[in-house]
């Protein structure tokens, strides 16, 4: 388990120690370590790891290719199934996906480090390839619109471009990558990897990204439907949920995702302000990313508060261990009630919780803790005001098995849809599969028109 | 009390572990380190007629398994490139300083009686306990009419052995090359020439690999390469077979064997002894790990002998030889079926895919209630080939069960389906 430089004595941290904390969480495997790790793979038939991967990367094949010295071939095996294999190698919760079901678990200490091997192969190709590894099919003359340059949208765009279509991607932010660029801890995506990956992906050709364009802000879904042959929505989720606790408007109470974004976008991490008593509210990997990074920046006390027990947290066991190993205090069965202070938050009051008749309910007792920084990580919601005409349920766009929304010609994938887990790797799969469906639709229509 | 002391070709040794004639035994410095480490003997690097040979750079290439372990080395080094007098002086010193250890003098000469005899006498006078005839090197020396060029001609094997027997009153070990169609031919010739023992195998002729960037065979000498002698773990099965044949065939009865070929652990040594060897010689394992590997060869062999209650090397020597037979003597009625232990199975599917693709389609995959996979052997299709058991990564997960054990022992010559079977007529 990684141990960061911490402000244990309260004397503060120097710039070098803080900067060092944002280096690669897992240093890349060198060639000989990769060879040793690859040799642990049993080359399973119809492998459980492959079936546990949402994008179904042929893992035994790519590891065998590392072993044979065919690193570019290995990377092509990965990227043909998952064009964001580089990000997934870094940020996937492999401990609950491919590595969890690795059969080597049962006979040796720990699974094959599939994520690290994947990174070894993909990094090699991205650093050495002189041209994009996947050719485009003959250009079809079809034009597709994509909303959101996150993992789902870019995966859709890449696969569509490979299939011969031209794609315009509309992105609200000034940079592409979505949560890969804005929503992951900096130590998971060191050396500007998200941008390098997008540049690599765009190397296929046929994709244009227009920045500062969001639905509602000058971009209307109806107009896109008219102008393009198909539309794919991979807009993710917008706003962070409200806690509905009084004092939420106080200075110092903010979104964990904004904090994570600020760190990611800062060239000099030491310039990011962090409190002495940081309170992170939530139980997912975003909460962990915020809490651990607060520690990395030199926060003396960081407490992660979750309203249920540890087993109910959506953060993986590995992520939880990373937090506790680095001094984050975990407090369970506590729900925010109010934030107190003058202009700025000073204290947080929590209701102690318990399960009553199968339902989460306050016990009637409160806990008050000092807090000069509160970070909310309780999930995001879809801004559905700009999606008029689309069927929405429980705050997500409804799609069928083929990623079709309720509007003909409009498809959707990634975190904004009502299927699959909210993971980068799932978003990549959604985009890839939707592109294959759209392509089939367009070709069938063209054939129908020709006869 | 177990005793590793043994007699090999008439030479007494404190244990059966000798270093083979090769780079590790090139000079006193090395052999002294080996004796300190516990080796029972050393066959000195082959001595030739002066002037000494000149070697090239580089000399070794390796063959790796997929997990990067070296499983074989090939070399293009020639015999000792030091003056004969230097070698003989060092041998004399070593014999004086290490009286309980064995030094065998390995020699190689052109196909001339006086050359062999003079060299044998000089080496014998240095005090060696035996002479080994190097008739095996498959590279370099053979181009000068020596090494395997001699060992591949039965008459030459017999002749050189006889010359040395006539010249010296010492045990004679004829070292055989495996680069022949039938090892029994040179082995019988050695026996006819009067050899006390045969040492085998010398290295297997080989090209170890090709550098695909420079398109040069390896090891590479200034842009070119040549064939060399292959040794190490990978050649052990070849050496075991040749040892077994010489030990069990009537025509070489009484000919002792100093076995060589990929011996890396005590277990390897025990296997050679079980097939009839009197002792073993090691080179590659020492070249990969140093002389210290003899520690566990000694310790492990002693432990094995204690466990099996073998008081001496002789107690189990040749025990497996009795069970080594021609294919025609095998029981056609023996029948095995693979059994997969569900609890031990980790569901990797390796057994299934090798049987399905390359064997008899005798393993079925069923879905399990817990979403896993269950692998079952289809007895009617299983021919008991062992392949699934060998590819299974879990020890003892797949075992072979004997079925129809009540059927009689029937060999192919007796088998009803044999068209040559007289009984079937």
């Amino acid at each position: 388990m990684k141990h960061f430089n911490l402000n244990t004595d309260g004397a503060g941290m120097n710039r070098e120690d803080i900067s060092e904390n944002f280096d690669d969480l897992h240093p890349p495997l060198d060639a000989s370590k990769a060879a040793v790790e690859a040799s642990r793979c049993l080359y399973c038939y119809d492998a459980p790891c492959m079936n546990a991967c949402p994008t179904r990367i042929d893992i035994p094949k790519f590891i065998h290719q590392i072993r044979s010295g065919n690193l570019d071939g290995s990377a092509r095996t990965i990227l043909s199934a998952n064009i964001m294999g580089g990000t997934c190698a870094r940020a996937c919760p492999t401990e609950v996906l491919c590595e969890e079901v690795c059969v080597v678990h049962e006979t040796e200490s720990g699974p094959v480090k599939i994520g690290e091997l994947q990174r070894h192969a993909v990094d090699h190709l991205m650093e050495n390839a002189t041209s994009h590894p996947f050719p485009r099919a003959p250009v079809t003359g079809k034009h597709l619109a994509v909303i959101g340059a996150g993992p789902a949208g870019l995966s859709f765009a890449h696969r569509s471009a490979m299939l011969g279509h031209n794609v315009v991607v509309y992105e609200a932010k000034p940079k592409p990558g979505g949560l890969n660029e804005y929503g992951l801890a900096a130590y998971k995506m060191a050396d500007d990897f998200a941008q390098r990956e997008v540049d690599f992906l765009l190397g296929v050709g046929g994709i244009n990204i227009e920045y500062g364009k969001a639905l509602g802000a000058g971009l209307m879904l109806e107009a896109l439907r008219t102008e393009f042959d198909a539309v794919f929505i991979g807009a993710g989720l917008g706003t962070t949920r409200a806690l509905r606790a009084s004092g939420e408007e106080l200075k110092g109470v903010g979104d964990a995702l904004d904090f994570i974004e600020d760190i990611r976008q800062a060239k000099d991490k030491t310039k990011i302000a962090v409190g002495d008593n940081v309170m992170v509210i939530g139980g997912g990997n975003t909460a962990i990313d915020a809490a651990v990074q607060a520690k990395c920046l030199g926060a003396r006390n960081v407490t992660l508060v979750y309203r249920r027990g540890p087993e109910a947290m959506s953060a993986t066991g590995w992520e939880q261990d990373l937090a506790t190993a680095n001094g984050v205090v975990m407090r369970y069965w506590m729900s925010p009630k109010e934030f107190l202070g003058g202009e700025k938050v000073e204290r947080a009051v929590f209701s102690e919780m318990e399960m009553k008749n199968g339902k989460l309910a306050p016990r009637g007792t409160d806990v008050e803790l000092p807090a000069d920084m509160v970070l909310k990580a309780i999930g995001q919601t879809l801004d559905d005001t700009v999606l008029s005409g689309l069927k929405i349920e429980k705050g997500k766009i409804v799609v069928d098995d083929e990623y079709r929304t309720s509007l003909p010609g409009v498809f959707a994938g990634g975190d904004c849809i009502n299927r699959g887990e909210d993971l980068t790797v799932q978003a990549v799969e959604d985009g890839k599969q939707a592109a294959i469906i759209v392509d089939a639709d367009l070709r069938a229509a063209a054939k129908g028109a020709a006869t | 009390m177990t005793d590793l002391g043994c007699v090999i070709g008439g030479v007494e040794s404190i244990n059966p572990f000798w270093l083979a004639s090769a780079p590790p035994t090139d000079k006193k410095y090395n052999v002294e380190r080996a004796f300190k480490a516990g080796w029972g003997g050393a066959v000195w690097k082959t001595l030739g007629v002066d002037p000494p040979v000149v070697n090239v750079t580089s000399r070794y290439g390796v063959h790796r398994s997929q997990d990067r372990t070296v499983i074989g080395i090939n070399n293009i080094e020639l015999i000792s490139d030091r003056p004969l007098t230097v070698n003989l002086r060092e041998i004399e010193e070593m014999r004086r300083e290490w009286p309980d250890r064995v030094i065998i003098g390995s020699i190689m000469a052109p196909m001339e009686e006086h050359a062999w005899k003079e060299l044998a006498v000089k080496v014998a006078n240095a005090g060696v306990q035996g002479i080994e005839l190097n008739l095996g090197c498959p590279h370099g020396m053979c181009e000068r009419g020596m090494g395997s060029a001699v060992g591949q001609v039965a008459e030459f094997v017999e002749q050189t052995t006889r010359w040395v027997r006539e010249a010296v009153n010492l045990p004679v070990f004829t070292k055989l090359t495996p680069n022949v169609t039938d090892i029994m031919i040179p082995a019988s010739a050695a026996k006819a020439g009067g050899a006390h023992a045969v040492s085998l195998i010398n290295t297997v002729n080989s090209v170890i690999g090709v550098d695909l960037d420079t398109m040069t065979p390896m090891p590479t000498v200034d842009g070119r390469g040549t064939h060399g002698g292959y040794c190490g773990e990978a050649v052990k099965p070849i050496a075991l077979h040749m040892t077994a044949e010489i030990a069990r065939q009537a025509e070489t009865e009484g000919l002792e064997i100093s076995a060589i070929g990929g011996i890396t652990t005590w277990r390897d040594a025990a296997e050679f002894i079980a097939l009839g060897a009197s002792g073993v010689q090691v080179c590659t394992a020492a070249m990969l790990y140093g002389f210290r590997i003899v520690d566990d060869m000694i310790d492990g062999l002693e432990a094995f002998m204690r466990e099996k209650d073998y008081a001496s090397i002789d107690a189990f020597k040749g025990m497996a030889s009795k069970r080594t037979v021609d294919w025609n003597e095998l029981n056609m009625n023996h029948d095995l079926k693979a059994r997969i232990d569900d609890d031990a199975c980790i569901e990797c599917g390796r057994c299934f895919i090798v049987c399905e693709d390359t064997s008899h389609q005798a393993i079925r995959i069923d879905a399990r209630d817990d979403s896993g996979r269950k692998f079952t052997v289809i007895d009617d299709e299983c021919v008991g080939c062992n392949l699934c058991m060998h590819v299974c990564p879990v020890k003892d997960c797949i075992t072979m069960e004997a079925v129809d054990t009540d059927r009689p022992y029937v060999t192919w010559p007796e088998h009803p389906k044999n068209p040559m079977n007289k009984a079937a007529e």
Side-chain angles (χ1 to χ4, degrees), chain A residues 277-281 301-305 334 339 348 350 369-376:
Chain A
N277 293 297
V278 179
M279 209 56 63
V280 180
I281 297 163
N301 302 307
V302 177
T303 308
L304 191 150
V305 183
M334 280 167 45
F339 301 104
F350 296 90
L369 297 170
D372 57 1
M373 185 176 197
V374 176
L375 297 170
K376 297 181 286 181

Short mmCIF file of all heavy atoms in Angstrom, two decimals, chain A residues 277-281 301-305 334 339 348 350 369-376:
data_model
loop_
_atom_site.label_atom_id
_atom_site.label_comp_id
_atom_site.label_asym_id
_atom_site.label_seq_id
_atom_site.Cartn_x
_atom_site.Cartn_y
_atom_site.Cartn_z
N ASN A 277 -8.91 20.94 9.25
CA ASN A 277 -9.89 19.92 9.62
C ASN A 277 -10.85 19.72 8.45
O ASN A 277 -11.81 20.47 8.30
CB ASN A 277 -10.65 20.33 10.88
CG ASN A 277 -9.73 20.35 12.08
OD1 ASN A 277 -9.19 19.33 12.48
ND2 ASN A 277 -9.52 21.54 12.63
N VAL A 278 -10.51 18.75 7.62
CA VAL A 278 -11.27 18.54 6.39
C VAL A 278 -12.29 17.42 6.62
O VAL A 278 -11.95 16.37 7.16
CB VAL A 278 -10.34 18.18 5.20
CG1 VAL A 278 -11.15 17.94 3.94
CG2 VAL A 278 -9.31 19.27 4.99
N MET A 279 -13.50 17.69 6.23
CA MET A 279 -14.61 16.75 6.41
C MET A 279 -15.07 16.35 5.01
O MET A 279 -15.51 17.23 4.25
CB MET A 279 -15.70 17.53 7.14
CG MET A 279 -16.63 16.78 8.03
SD MET A 279 -15.83 15.83 9.32
CE MET A 279 -15.05 17.08 10.29
N VAL A 280 -14.91 15.07 4.63
CA VAL A 280 -15.40 14.64 3.32
C VAL A 280 -16.65 13.81 3.56
O VAL A 280 -16.63 12.89 4.39
CB VAL A 280 -14.34 13.81 2.55
CG1 VAL A 280 -14.89 13.37 1.20
CG2 VAL A 280 -13.06 14.60 2.38
N ILE A 281 -17.71 14.13 2.87
CA ILE A 281 -18.97 13.45 3.11
C ILE A 281 -19.33 12.59 1.90
O ILE A 281 -19.48 13.10 0.79
CB ILE A 281 -20.08 14.48 3.40
CG1 ILE A 281 -19.69 15.23 4.69
CG2 ILE A 281 -21.43 13.80 3.57
CD1 ILE A 281 -20.45 16.51 4.88
N ASN A 301 -5.93 17.04 9.70
CA ASN A 301 -6.96 16.05 10.02
C ASN A 301 -7.95 15.95 8.87
O ASN A 301 -8.51 16.96 8.45
CB ASN A 301 -7.72 16.47 11.29
CG ASN A 301 -6.78 16.62 12.46
OD1 ASN A 301 -6.02 15.72 12.78
ND2 ASN A 301 -6.81 17.80 13.08
N VAL A 302 -8.12 14.74 8.36
CA VAL A 302 -9.11 14.51 7.31
C VAL A 302 -10.03 13.40 7.80
O VAL A 302 -9.57 12.33 8.18
CB VAL A 302 -8.47 14.11 5.97
CG1 VAL A 302 -9.54 13.80 4.94
CG2 VAL A 302 -7.54 15.20 5.47
N THR A 303 -11.33 13.71 7.83
CA THR A 303 -12.30 12.72 8.26
C THR A 303 -13.26 12.44 7.12
O THR A 303 -13.75 13.37 6.48
CB THR A 303 -13.10 13.24 9.48
OG1 THR A 303 -12.18 13.67 10.47
CG2 THR A 303 -14.00 12.16 10.04
N LEU A 304 -13.46 11.17 6.83
CA LEU A 304 -14.45 10.79 5.82
C LEU A 304 -15.68 10.31 6.58
O LEU A 304 -15.59 9.40 7.41
CB LEU A 304 -13.88 9.70 4.91
CG LEU A 304 -14.70 9.39 3.66
CD1 LEU A 304 -13.79 8.91 2.54
CD2 LEU A 304 -15.77 8.36 3.93
N VAL A 305 -16.78 10.97 6.34
CA VAL A 305 -18.00 10.67 7.08
C VAL A 305 -18.99 9.99 6.14
O VAL A 305 -19.27 10.49 5.04
CB VAL A 305 -18.62 11.97 7.65
CG1 VAL A 305 -19.87 11.63 8.47
CG2 VAL A 305 -17.61 12.71 8.49
N MET A 334 -23.01 8.28 10.33
CA MET A 334 -23.19 9.68 10.67
C MET A 334 -23.66 10.44 9.43
O MET A 334 -23.08 10.31 8.37
CB MET A 334 -21.87 10.29 11.17
CG MET A 334 -21.57 9.96 12.63
SD MET A 334 -19.87 10.33 13.13
CE MET A 334 -19.61 11.93 12.45
N PHE A 339 -24.16 22.87 9.41
CA PHE A 339 -22.80 23.40 9.44
C PHE A 339 -22.86 24.73 10.17
O PHE A 339 -23.73 25.55 9.90
CB PHE A 339 -22.25 23.57 8.03
CG PHE A 339 -22.22 22.26 7.29
CD1 PHE A 339 -23.16 21.97 6.31
CD2 PHE A 339 -21.28 21.28 7.62
CE1 PHE A 339 -23.16 20.75 5.66
CE2 PHE A 339 -21.28 20.07 6.96
CZ PHE A 339 -22.21 19.80 5.98
N ALA A 348 -19.09 21.13 12.17
CA ALA A 348 -20.13 20.36 11.47
C ALA A 348 -20.84 19.50 12.50
O ALA A 348 -20.20 18.91 13.38
CB ALA A 348 -19.51 19.47 10.39
N PHE A 350 -23.37 16.29 13.06
CA PHE A 350 -23.86 15.09 12.38
C PHE A 350 -24.89 14.37 13.25
O PHE A 350 -24.73 14.31 14.48
CB PHE A 350 -22.71 14.12 12.10
CG PHE A 350 -21.70 14.68 11.15
CD1 PHE A 350 -20.60 15.39 11.62
CD2 PHE A 350 -21.83 14.48 9.78
CE1 PHE A 350 -19.66 15.91 10.74
CE2 PHE A 350 -20.89 14.99 8.90
CZ PHE A 350 -19.81 15.70 9.38
N LEU A 369 -18.20 18.16 15.25
CA LEU A 369 -16.76 18.07 14.96
C LEU A 369 -16.27 19.38 14.38
O LEU A 369 -17.01 20.06 13.66
CB LEU A 369 -16.50 16.94 13.94
CG LEU A 369 -16.86 15.52 14.36
CD1 LEU A 369 -16.77 14.59 13.16
CD2 LEU A 369 -15.94 15.03 15.48
N PRO A 370 -15.01 19.76 14.69
CA PRO A 370 -14.47 20.97 14.06
C PRO A 370 -14.27 20.73 12.57
O PRO A 370 -13.84 19.63 12.18
CB PRO A 370 -13.13 21.16 14.78
CG PRO A 370 -12.78 19.83 15.33
CD PRO A 370 -14.06 19.10 15.59
N ALA A 371 -14.61 21.71 11.74
CA ALA A 371 -14.47 21.54 10.29
C ALA A 371 -14.24 22.90 9.66
O ALA A 371 -15.08 23.79 9.80
CB ALA A 371 -15.72 20.90 9.71
N ASP A 372 -13.10 23.08 9.00
CA ASP A 372 -12.91 24.34 8.28
C ASP A 372 -12.98 24.14 6.77
O ASP A 372 -12.80 25.07 6.00
CB ASP A 372 -11.59 25.01 8.69
CG ASP A 372 -10.39 24.11 8.47
OD1 ASP A 372 -10.58 22.98 7.98
OD2 ASP A 372 -9.26 24.53 8.81
N MET A 373 -13.20 22.86 6.37
CA MET A 373 -13.39 22.58 4.94
C MET A 373 -14.30 21.36 4.85
O MET A 373 -14.02 20.34 5.48
CB MET A 373 -12.04 22.30 4.27
CG MET A 373 -12.12 22.13 2.77
SD MET A 373 -10.44 21.92 2.08
CE MET A 373 -10.73 22.26 0.37
N VAL A 374 -15.39 21.50 4.12
CA VAL A 374 -16.33 20.39 3.95
C VAL A 374 -16.46 20.09 2.46
O VAL A 374 -16.68 20.99 1.65
CB VAL A 374 -17.72 20.74 4.53
CG1 VAL A 374 -18.71 19.61 4.25
CG2 VAL A 374 -17.63 21.02 6.02
N LEU A 375 -16.23 18.82 2.10
CA LEU A 375 -16.29 18.43 0.69
C LEU A 375 -17.40 17.40 0.49
O LEU A 375 -17.38 16.33 1.10
CB LEU A 375 -14.94 17.84 0.24
CG LEU A 375 -13.76 18.82 0.32
CD1 LEU A 375 -12.45 18.08 0.11
CD2 LEU A 375 -13.92 19.92 -0.73
N LYS A 376 -18.35 17.75 -0.34
CA LYS A 376 -19.49 16.86 -0.59
C LYS A 376 -19.19 15.90 -1.73
O LYS A 376 -18.84 16.34 -2.83
CB LYS A 376 -20.73 17.70 -0.94
CG LYS A 376 -21.18 18.60 0.18
CD LYS A 376 -22.43 19.38 -0.23
CE LYS A 376 -22.10 20.49 -1.23
NZ LYS A 376 -23.31 21.24 -1.62
#
